[in-house]
Amino acid sequence: MKLLSCFSFIKNIRRKGQILAMLMVVFLRGYSQNNILVFQSDFGLKDGAVSAMKGVAMGVSPGLKLFDITHEIPAYNIWEASYRLVQTAPYWPEGTVFVSVCDPGVGTQRKSVVLLTKSGHYFVTPDNGTLTLIAEQLGIREVREIDEVKNRRKNSNESYTFHGRDVYAFTGAKLASKQITFEQVGPKLPNEIVSIPYQEPSFDQGKVKGTIPILDIQYGNVWTDIDKKLFAKLGIKVGDDIHVQVFNDKAKVYEGSVKYVNTFGEVKEGVDVGYFNSLLNFSLGINMASFSEKYKVFSGNTWSIVLSKK
Amino acid sequence: MKLLSCFSFIKNIRRKGQILAMLMVVFLRGYSQNNILVFQSDFGLKDGAVSAMKGVAMGVSPGLKLFDITHEIPAYNIWEASYRLVQTAPYWPEGTVFVSVCDPGVGTQRKSVVLLTKSGHYFVTPDNGTLTLIAEQLGIREVREIDEVKNRRKNSNESYTFHGRDVYAFTGAKLASKQITFEQVGPKLPNEIVSIPYQEPSFDQGKVKGTIPILDIQYGNVWTDIDKKLFAKLGIKVGDDIHVQVFNDKAKVYEGSVKYVNTFGEVKEGVDVGYFNSLLNFSLGINMASFSEKYKVFSGNTWSIVLSKK
Amino acid sequence: MKLLSCFSFIKNIRRKGQILAMLMVVFLRGYSQNNILVFQSDFGLKDGAVSAMKGVAMGVSPGLKLFDITHEIPAYNIWEASYRLVQTAPYWPEGTVFVSVCDPGVGTQRKSVVLLTKSGHYFVTPDNGTLTLIAEQLGIREVREIDEVKNRRKNSNESYTFHGRDVYAFTGAKLASKQITFEQVGPKLPNEIVSIPYQEPSFDQGKVKGTIPILDIQYGNVWTDIDKKLFAKLGIKVGDDIHVQVFNDKAKVYEGSVKYVNTFGEVKEGVDVGYFNSLLNFSLGINMASFSEKYKVFSGNTWSIVLSKK
């Protein structure tokens, strides 16, 4: 804000053209770039791995602003990494660069890529399924493979097991600080990424079928992939009961009724409800208690849910 | 620092008055505002909720500096949210904006407010008791209700359950970056907030009575609300023993003697001590061990303590 | 980046010498100082202690950039604090200031110091063993004792138990923001620090002996202190088996063979491997599982390991 004023002022002074040109470049770069770099991993916060990545980024450019999604992705859980990206990325400004490191195949032939989405966000990650949901929901504008000769921390070739620090944090920092352009990341790949297969939600014969990609861990709520549009086909209104069945593979784990509410506060403590979560997906919860714990409902690609009118 | 020098310099150049005036505005805004926004919640760090709030804040103003108190407030524990605010806020500079989201009543009629304290700190939060201790210890200068029509993230009206992201982070970011003034938060309310009732500590007949609002979890120390002034009425000196009784409701959980010390290092490992913690409240501990675990003493509004001279 | 351009421009204007001189000072300070302050502690993140330290730092200088190594050092575990520093510090830029607070002796006679290493990093900490590995691996350039009269938060003399906030964060912030020079920290001490004794790894009669300073907690890998140069004396090549014995004191806890690989992806799930970790130390792991859990191998100064050719 203040810098812009400083530059506006400077532009008003008639000086040598070359200085003005130089300033214009600085101005334009400032305009198109916010220097924001956001990290996610399955490293946990108990050791120094995340800090080493941030140190590398600060070494690339101390002007970067570093943030986190979470580092508590369960070890090797690429699906959850994919989900956390899509849960958060849309809320960050255009131009933000994300580095996601959930990399059970580190040191093998999986590709290291940067995805630019149609929404203008960048994702630096091993292409191992982490991009599944982002690619689908934000759209692929372009994918590039990281040139690990150019875009690798100096003197890091002896380390085979920490690409998060030596390649991804380094490349993300270069990109976020505009020391390299997207083109300089490396060669363009076809517009596709490695995708984890999953069942799309559907409506058939008065029933909506979906999956349970994830739990809202802190409160024990159960999040599905059923959105408002699909749910609307059931013709259920706020205040009505919803008939719910939950399956793990073929085994029925839960069958019961929940009240459709906008928010938990509409019912007394202990009442089972269905509602739309902050990502606008249908969810199950209990006011002031854990639906997941009470009914032993968990998440993952073997879990499915069927909703119908009561 | 550097910016100020830049502006001082610019002020020295005799230029068009309007430019100078514009710069003065920028200068003064810079002087009175540090752009610091500090978050607290009961969301945990395992999912993307905190990151979504920070993304929203960065979208409002990339010049903000974002920090955290903790996101490990136990789910729905408004009392602990209140305690963590008062434990930390006084150490942050005047003008800092805090966003606290422990909001079991999200989507119901509890008010969304911003409290400005006499110490010059701002607190953006549901008015559900979270402000109890802050209001008492830092003093209320003014309370405003958030105008959720103006101060709400665009296109977020379909989500009823994440005011932390859609209202509080958004409003806090607007305020911290001076895109709105305190007045533009919304209408002024009376100078009062929703307060959780609790027993004030007291001195009577040679005994000091207090409560145990919280544990020093990491080390197992037991923190009371008894300050140095009240304790002084017992006439106990460093090195003396203190007679201690702890009750949970009416049940006596602990009775014993602890040595009054300035710091743990004054006694051998395993010795029970009484000392004043970093907030200058009387506390119980064991050198290199957990008082709470050893004697099963915990915290909350049913726990009380009585101190007397041995 | 942008500021430099702003100043370069300003330097081109012929103005009063004193303004230019003033700007040059600002410029040079900006050049030599990145304002980065990195915290580590055994406080955990559940309460407000870390936030209070950061608030103090922001009060000293809002231009500082604050980061963390970890705050999950197990309570009082000075050895692990020492290890986390050496795991991360080399990845941060020269001039970075670290504040490490694992301080079981707070309030006693242990010295409060700042170590400047030969690598140009600063470490603000109680001198209680925390600097053991840093001093050895980065080298001591100079040690100074913190003058706790000058370099102590105002009005904090009544608190004896939170030097992290009142002395270390405060002094670290002053130093990182160049409000004090290294000399102004306090009097110079001899070039030595309190060191925790530990066994150096060695090669003898075809066997390499080392210790297990720490686990890679998140994945259950076992990290030793045996580097590539020492390991090379065994003449074992990638793809070969390594004979491994692990002892806790004198008791043999594990004996078996592991395959020497560059990275986990070279073997199937469930295969035991030996590899060099991201710090280039020999480590034991299982592809997609926990070596530590499976074989009950843990870490600390009683744990040792012997490697030989199969």
Side-chain angles (χ1 to χ4, degrees):
Chain A
M1 219 82 347
K2 291 166 217 156
L3 272 173
L4 295 195
S5 305
C6 181
F7 290 125
S8 322
F9 165 77
I10 285 163
K11 283 196 298 177
N12 282 315
I13 307 179
R14 268 152 293 149
R15 302 284 311 169
K16 287 173 201 140
Q18 85 201 74
I19 291 170
L20 189 56
M22 185 191 75
L23 285 168
M24 287 302 291
V25 168
V26 173
F27 179 90
L28 290 171
R29 283 173 55 150
Y31 181 73
S32 69
Q33 175 55 273
N34 55 25
N35 272 317
I36 298 174
L37 186 59
V38 183
F39 291 92
Q40 164 175 288
S41 75
D42 64 351
F43 299 164
L45 289 170
K46 287 187 169 34
D47 77 0
V50 171
S51 187
M53 290 201 297
K54 291 187 177 173
V56 165
M58 278 294 106
V60 168
S61 170
L64 288 170
K65 292 162 212 156
L66 308 185
F67 298 95
D68 306 283
I69 297 174
T70 179
H71 297 283
E72 305 289 352
I73 301 286
Y76 321 123
N77 192 330
I78 293 170
W79 173 259
E80 188 161 326
S82 177
Y83 196 90
R84 294 308 172 205
L85 286 181
V86 87
Q87 182 187 3
T88 53
Y91 300 100
W92 287 87
E94 211 185 304
T96 297
V97 178
F98 297 84
V99 169
S100 177
V101 191
C102 177
D103 193 12
V106 61
T108 64
Q109 292 309 310
R110 92 278 178 271
K111 286 195 172 105
S112 295
V113 302
V114 181
L115 164 66
L116 171 58
T117 60
K118 289 182 178 159
S119 60
H121 298 94
Y122 297 90
F123 297 87
V124 183
T125 180
D127 185 23
N128 57 10
T130 298
L131 296 168
T132 303
L133 297 169
I134 279 291
E136 187 191 292
Q137 294 192 27
L138 303 187
I140 298 178
R141 188 180 292 171
E142 201 169 305
V143 186
R144 290 188 173 266
E145 182 169 4
I146 298 174
D147 177 339
E148 295 193 14
V149 176
K150 287 183 193 161
N151 295 312
R152 187 185 177 102
R153 203 172 57 84
K154 232 172 144 181
N155 304 322
S156 70
N157 286 317
E158 295 234 334
S159 172
Y160 292 85
T161 54
F162 198 178
H163 281 196
R165 179 191 68 196
D166 298 331
V167 176
Y168 302 128
F170 184 78
T171 302
K174 288 268 189 191
L175 185 60
S177 62
K178 291 232 169 166
Q179 294 185 19
I180 58 173
T181 63
F182 182 46
E183 289 67 30
Q184 289 171 315
V185 162
K188 190 170 167 357
L189 294 174
N191 270 11
E192 55 194 42
I193 49 91
V194 172
S195 195
I196 299 170
Y198 67 101
Q199 185 67 42
E200 299 255 358
S202 62
F203 176 80
D204 188 34
Q205 298 185 329
K207 291 178 179 181
V208 167
K209 293 182 186 176
T211 58
I212 303 176
I214 214 144
L215 298 179
D216 182 13
I217 310 166
Q218 186 79 347
Y219 308 101
N221 301 322
V222 172
W223 286 10
T224 80
D225 59 350
I226 298 165
D227 66 18
K228 283 206 163 178
K229 204 169 148 189
L230 198 63
F231 182 82
K233 297 190 176 170
L234 294 171
I236 300 176
K237 290 197 182 63
V238 170
D240 290 354
D241 281 342
I242 311 165
H243 184 243
V244 179
Q245 293 169 291
V246 175
F247 299 85
N248 185 8
D249 274 325
K250 311 234 154 132
K252 189 185 292 181
V253 176
Y254 168 84
E255 176 156 14
S257 271
V258 302
K259 193 183 170 83
Y260 178 28
V261 299
N262 277 326
T263 184
F264 289 84
E266 295 168 18
V267 297
K268 290 193 181 155
E269 290 193 16
V271 173
D272 300 351
V273 300
Y275 68 102
F276 282 85
N277 69 12
S278 53
L279 303 174
L280 303 179
N281 286 135
F282 183 79
S283 302
L284 299 167
I286 306 177
N287 191 17
M288 304 295 282
S290 166
F291 194 99
S292 168
E293 269 184 30
K294 183 168 177 190
Y295 297 114
K296 308 300 167 200
V297 169
F298 303 105
S299 65
N301 62 355
T302 61
W303 289 83
S304 61
I305 184 168
V306 180
L307 305 181
S308 56
K309 208 166 178 166
K310 233 215 144 176
Chain B
M1 219 86 343
K2 293 167 218 156
L3 271 172
L4 295 195
S5 305
C6 180
F7 289 124
S8 322
F9 165 76
I10 285 163
K11 283 195 301 176
N12 283 315
I13 306 178
R14 267 153 293 151
R15 300 286 308 170
K16 286 171 202 140
Q18 87 203 71
I19 291 171
L20 189 56
M22 186 192 75
L23 285 168
M24 287 301 291
V25 168
V26 173
F27 179 90
L28 290 171
R29 283 174 56 150
Y31 182 74
S32 69
Q33 175 56 273
N34 55 24
N35 272 316
I36 298 174
L37 186 59
V38 183
F39 291 92
Q40 164 174 290
S41 76
D42 63 352
F43 298 165
L45 289 170
K46 287 187 170 32
D47 76 359
V50 171
S51 186
M53 291 201 297
K54 291 187 177 174
V56 166
M58 277 294 104
V60 168
S61 171
L64 287 170
K65 291 162 214 156
L66 308 185
F67 298 96
D68 306 283
I69 296 175
T70 179
H71 297 282
E72 305 290 350
I73 301 286
Y76 319 124
N77 190 330
I78 294 170
W79 172 260
E80 188 161 325
S82 177
Y83 195 90
R84 294 307 172 205
L85 286 181
V86 88
Q87 182 188 2
T88 52
Y91 299 100
W92 287 87
E94 212 184 302
T96 298
V97 177
F98 296 84
V99 169
S100 176
V101 192
C102 176
D103 193 12
V106 61
T108 64
Q109 292 309 309
R110 94 277 178 272
K111 286 193 172 105
S112 295
V113 302
V114 181
L115 163 66
L116 171 59
T117 60
K118 289 183 179 160
S119 59
H121 298 94
Y122 297 89
F123 297 87
V124 184
T125 180
D127 185 23
N128 57 10
T130 297
L131 296 169
T132 304
L133 295 170
I134 279 291
E136 186 191 294
Q137 294 191 26
L138 301 188
I140 298 177
R141 188 182 293 171
E142 201 169 305
V143 186
R144 290 187 173 267
E145 183 168 4
I146 298 174
D147 178 338
E148 294 192 13
V149 177
K150 288 182 192 163
N151 294 313
R152 189 185 175 103
R153 204 172 57 84
K154 232 172 145 180
N155 304 323
S156 70
N157 287 316
E158 296 234 333
S159 172
Y160 293 86
T161 55
F162 198 0
H163 280 197
R165 180 190 67 196
D166 299 331
V167 176
Y168 302 128
F170 184 78
T171 303
K174 288 268 190 194
L175 185 61
S177 62
K178 291 230 165 166
Q179 294 185 20
I180 59 172
T181 62
F182 183 46
E183 289 67 30
Q184 288 171 317
V185 163
K188 191 170 165 2
L189 295 174
N191 270 11
E192 56 195 40
I193 49 89
V194 172
S195 196
I196 299 170
Y198 67 99
Q199 185 68 39
E200 299 255 358
S202 63
F203 176 80
D204 188 34
Q205 298 184 327
K207 291 179 178 180
V208 167
K209 293 183 186 176
T211 59
I212 302 175
I214 213 144
L215 297 179
D216 182 12
I217 311 166
Q218 185 80 348
Y219 307 101
N221 301 321
V222 172
W223 286 10
T224 79
D225 60 350
I226 297 166
D227 66 18
K228 282 206 162 177
K229 204 170 148 188
L230 199 62
F231 182 82
K233 296 190 178 171
L234 293 171
I236 299 176
K237 290 196 181 64
V238 169
D240 291 355
D241 280 342
I242 311 166
H243 184 243
V244 178
Q245 293 170 290
V246 175
F247 299 86
N248 185 7
D249 274 326
K250 310 235 154 132
K252 188 186 292 181
V253 175
Y254 167 85
E255 176 157 13
S257 271
V258 300
K259 193 183 171 83
Y260 178 28
V261 298
N262 276 327
T263 183
F264 288 83
E266 296 168 16
V267 296
K268 290 194 181 155
E269 290 192 15
V271 173
D272 300 353
V273 300
Y275 68 102
F276 281 86
N277 69 12
S278 53
L279 303 172
L280 303 180
N281 285 136
F282 182 78
S283 302
L284 298 167
I286 306 178
N287 191 18
M288 304 295 283
S290 166
F291 194 100
S292 168
E293 269 184 29
K294 182 168 178 190
Y295 298 115
K296 308 299 168 202
V297 168
F298 303 105
S299 65
N301 62 355
T302 61
W303 288 83
S304 61
I305 184 169
V306 179
L307 306 180
S308 56
K309 207 164 177 168
K310 237 221 139 173
Chain C
M1 218 83 349
K2 292 168 218 152
L3 270 174
L4 295 195
S5 306
C6 180
F7 289 125
S8 321
F9 165 77
I10 286 164
K11 282 194 301 173
N12 283 315
I13 307 178
R14 268 152 294 149
R15 301 283 311 167
K16 285 172 202 141
Q18 86 204 72
I19 290 171
L20 189 57
M22 186 192 74
L23 283 169
M24 286 302 291
V25 168
V26 172
F27 179 89
L28 289 172
R29 282 174 56 151
Y31 181 73
S32 68
Q33 177 55 273
N34 55 25
N35 273 316
I36 298 174
L37 187 59
V38 184
F39 291 92
Q40 163 174 291
S41 74
D42 63 351
F43 299 164
L45 289 169
K46 288 187 167 33
D47 77 359
V50 172
S51 186
M53 290 201 297
K54 291 187 178 173
V56 165
M58 278 293 107
V60 168
S61 171
L64 287 170
K65 292 161 211 157
L66 308 186
F67 298 96
D68 306 284
I69 297 174
T70 179
H71 297 283
E72 305 291 352
I73 301 287
Y76 320 124
N77 191 331
I78 293 170
W79 173 260
E80 188 161 327
S82 177
Y83 196 90
R84 294 307 172 205
L85 286 181
V86 88
Q87 184 188 1
T88 52
Y91 299 100
W92 287 87
E94 212 183 302
T96 298
V97 178
F98 297 84
V99 170
S100 177
V101 192
C102 177
D103 194 13
V106 61
T108 63
Q109 292 308 308
R110 92 278 178 271
K111 287 195 172 105
S112 296
V113 302
V114 181
L115 164 67
L116 171 58
T117 59
K118 288 181 179 161
S119 60
H121 298 93
Y122 297 89
F123 297 87
V124 184
T125 179
D127 184 23
N128 57 10
T130 297
L131 295 169
T132 304
L133 296 170
I134 279 292
E136 185 191 294
Q137 295 191 26
L138 302 188
I140 298 177
R141 189 181 292 172
E142 201 170 304
V143 186
R144 290 188 173 267
E145 183 168 5
I146 299 175
D147 177 339
E148 294 192 14
V149 176
K150 288 183 190 161
N151 294 313
R152 189 185 176 102
R153 204 172 56 85
K154 234 172 145 180
N155 304 323
S156 70
N157 287 317
E158 295 233 334
S159 172
Y160 292 86
T161 55
F162 198 179
H163 280 196
R165 180 190 68 197
D166 300 331
V167 176
Y168 302 127
F170 184 77
T171 302
K174 288 269 190 191
L175 185 61
S177 63
K178 291 232 168 167
Q179 295 184 20
I180 58 171
T181 62
F182 183 45
E183 289 68 31
Q184 289 171 316
V185 163
K188 189 170 166 1
L189 294 174
N191 268 13
E192 56 195 40
I193 48 90
V194 172
S195 195
I196 299 170
Y198 68 99
Q199 185 68 40
E200 299 256 357
S202 62
F203 175 80
D204 189 34
Q205 299 185 328
K207 292 181 178 179
V208 166
K209 293 183 186 175
T211 59
I212 302 175
I214 214 147
L215 298 179
D216 181 14
I217 311 167
Q218 186 79 347
Y219 307 100
N221 301 321
V222 172
W223 286 9
T224 79
D225 60 350
I226 298 166
D227 65 17
K228 282 205 163 176
K229 204 170 147 188
L230 199 62
F231 182 82
K233 296 190 177 171
L234 293 170
I236 299 175
K237 291 196 181 61
V238 169
D240 291 353
D241 281 342
I242 311 167
H243 184 242
V244 179
Q245 292 169 291
V246 175
F247 300 85
N248 185 7
D249 275 326
K250 310 234 155 133
K252 189 185 291 179
V253 175
Y254 168 84
E255 176 158 12
S257 271
V258 301
K259 194 183 170 83
Y260 178 28
V261 299
N262 276 326
T263 184
F264 288 84
E266 297 168 16
V267 296
K268 290 193 180 155
E269 290 192 15
V271 173
D272 300 351
V273 300
Y275 68 102
F276 282 85
N277 69 11
S278 54
L279 303 173
L280 303 179
N281 286 136
F282 183 79
S283 302
L284 299 167
I286 305 177
N287 191 17
M288 304 296 282
S290 166
F291 194 100
S292 168
E293 269 185 29
K294 183 168 176 191
Y295 297 114
K296 308 301 168 200
V297 169
F298 303 104
S299 65
N301 61 356
T302 61
W303 288 83
S304 61
I305 184 168
V306 180
L307 306 180
S308 55
K309 208 165 177 166
K310 224 200 151 193

